[in-house]
Amino acid sequence: MSPTFRRTHLRALTGLSALAVAAAGFAAAPAAQADQPARETAGPSHPYRHGVQPTREASASSNARTSNLHYGGGVDGIGVTTGAPKVYLVFWGSQWGTQGTDASGYTTLSGDPMGEAVRAQQLFKGLGTNGETWSGVMTQYCEGVAKGATSCPSTAAHVGYPSGGALAGVWVDTSAAAPGQATGNQLAAEAVKAAGHFGNTTAAANRNVQYVVLSPTGTHPDGFNTSTGNFCAWHDWNGDTTLTGGAASSPYGDVAFTNDPYVTDMGSSCGQNYVNSGSAGTLDGVTIVYGHEYSETVTDQNPAGGWTDSTGYENADKCAWKGTGGVGGAQNVNLATGSFAMQGTWANDASGCEISHPVVP
């Protein structure tokens, strides 16, 4: 993987607004904002923090993003998620508390004061339902094309659509307390452990899978919510040798994972009330951040062998903190499981950000 592609992909999320696009499954949100140019964020600092989403305060510098994404040639033969994406949620650590089940069948946790666990399950279960076309933006990207390509022929293997939902499993790993400040290696190792737990014990079983490692409130995975960790989340794969602590070995093939801290610990810095006011927007940042990382994992599964621009930014990075409403601004997206604040992502075929796009077969 070249140094250019291994640069941190800082991302900021923008305020989110209301635009009702019923056919695409969107719902209006209050206080719409004018669509604004996307902004470059602070320069890269950690090569392993791919698609790292900075806090609002850390994304102050500007420079309009105009260049399209190009294909990185793949890493270990993997560029994008070519089958229907599968998301496994891993609630890491005994701090999550006692496990239960709500009336809708979602896993609840006594150590989850803000209800992030249920919200995450609702989001990933809802992707690919209700005719949503937020996921369609990603399906224009592919693998199996020349390195540096900026478009995909119909014959190429495109990013899959999560028909009927992306949520494939939930595991509450309370075998031990999650580290107070987990390293990148520890996060990757937990994802590999999860692959074994779910029975995904071959490279083929993990080919279209991502493991979302969720840390409990009060912890600081990779420095989250500290003076040196001004980010909301990032993604990578277990074999990245630049992870703090080094790469994590896997007997199950390559494992894609996301470091998703307890987002609400950072309040408005990580998107609280970006789209919706009051209690309706308390978990806005949770779904914006999680959606951001999901979209970048499916288009750049083993970073940076997938799709990035000339500066190393991924599809969601280029549209973060872009304003609300309009063609590419952030807004509520209606799924069968509820309405969720989401941001737009970059569409090469439009050379801009989109919140909706026809699904590419």
Side-chain angles (χ1 to χ4, degrees), residues 85-92 96 98-112 114-129 162 164-173 198 212-214 260 262 283 286-291 294 335-340 342:
K86 296 181 180 180
V87 175
Y88 290 91
L89 298 180
V90 183
F91 296 94
W92 185 22
W96 282 105
T98 304
Q99 181 176 344
T101 306
D102 69 10
S104 298
Y106 294 116
T107 297
T108 60
L109 298 163
S110 62
D112 179 19
M114 304 303 290
E116 290 193 18
V118 169
R119 195 60 171 161
Q121 293 167 75
Q122 291 171 331
L123 171 64
F124 291 114
K125 185 177 181 179
L127 290 180
T129 68
L167 183 63
V170 175
W171 180 35
V172 185
D173 180 10
F198 288 113
V212 178
V213 180
L214 301 108
D260 275 343
Y262 203 78
L283 299 180
V286 172
T287 55
I288 293 165
V289 170
Y290 292 1
Y294 165 87
L335 309 176
T337 52
S339 179
F340 301 85
M342 304 289 276

Side-chain angles (χ1 to χ4, degrees), residues 23 26 66 79 105 146 158 187 219-220 241 264 313 320:
F26 303 121
T66 57
H158 284 247
L187 289 157
T219 59
H220 311 277
T241 58
T264 52
Y313 289 86

Side-chain angles (χ1 to χ4, degrees), residues 180-251:
Q181 296 203 43
T183 64
N185 172 275
Q186 289 174 312
L187 289 157
E190 180 67 10
V192 173
K193 181 181 177 183
H197 170 83
F198 288 113
N200 297 328
T201 56
T202 65
N206 286 300
R207 180 58 184 85
N208 299 305
V209 166
Q210 55 183 277
Y211 298 91
V212 178
V213 180
L214 301 108
S215 295
T217 183
T219 59
H220 311 277
D222 194 46
F224 167 77
N225 200 13
T226 67
S227 59
T228 58
N230 296 316
F231 66 88
C232 302
W234 51 261
H235 77 98
D236 206 342
W237 67 293
N238 69 288
D240 188 344
T241 58
T242 71
L243 285 165
T244 50
S249 63
S250 167

Side-chain angles (χ1 to χ4, degrees), residues 19-27 129-134 161 331-335 355-359:
L19 175 68
V21 188
F26 303 121
T129 68
N130 220 36
E132 64 93 358
T133 49
W134 177 82
Y161 183 80
Q331 54 208 266
N332 287 332
V333 175
N334 282 331
L335 309 176
I355 193 75
S356 171
H357 188 284
V359 176

Side-chain angles (χ1 to χ4, degrees), residues 268-308:
S268 61
S269 293
C270 286
Q272 184 171 317
N273 293 122
Y274 254 32
V275 176
N276 304 286
S277 60
S279 60
T282 300
L283 299 180
D284 281 0
V286 172
T287 55
I288 293 165
V289 170
Y290 292 1
H292 185 125
E293 299 302 331
Y294 165 87
S295 74
E296 293 191 329
T297 301
V298 297
T299 56
D300 190 17
Q301 185 169 321
N302 278 12
W307 292 79
T308 62

Side-chain angles (χ1 to χ4, degrees), residues 7 10-13 36-44 54-65 313 317-318 320-322:
R7 299 178 64 184
L10 290 176
R11 51 180 69 151
L13 298 166
Q36 301 169 355
R39 297 180 180 276
E40 296 286 1
T41 54
T55 61
R56 296 172 63 187
E57 297 82 358
S59 58
S61 58
S62 62
N63 282 324
R65 301 182 181 125
Y313 289 86
D317 297 326
K318 295 172 72 65
W321 301 112
K322 194 183 179 297

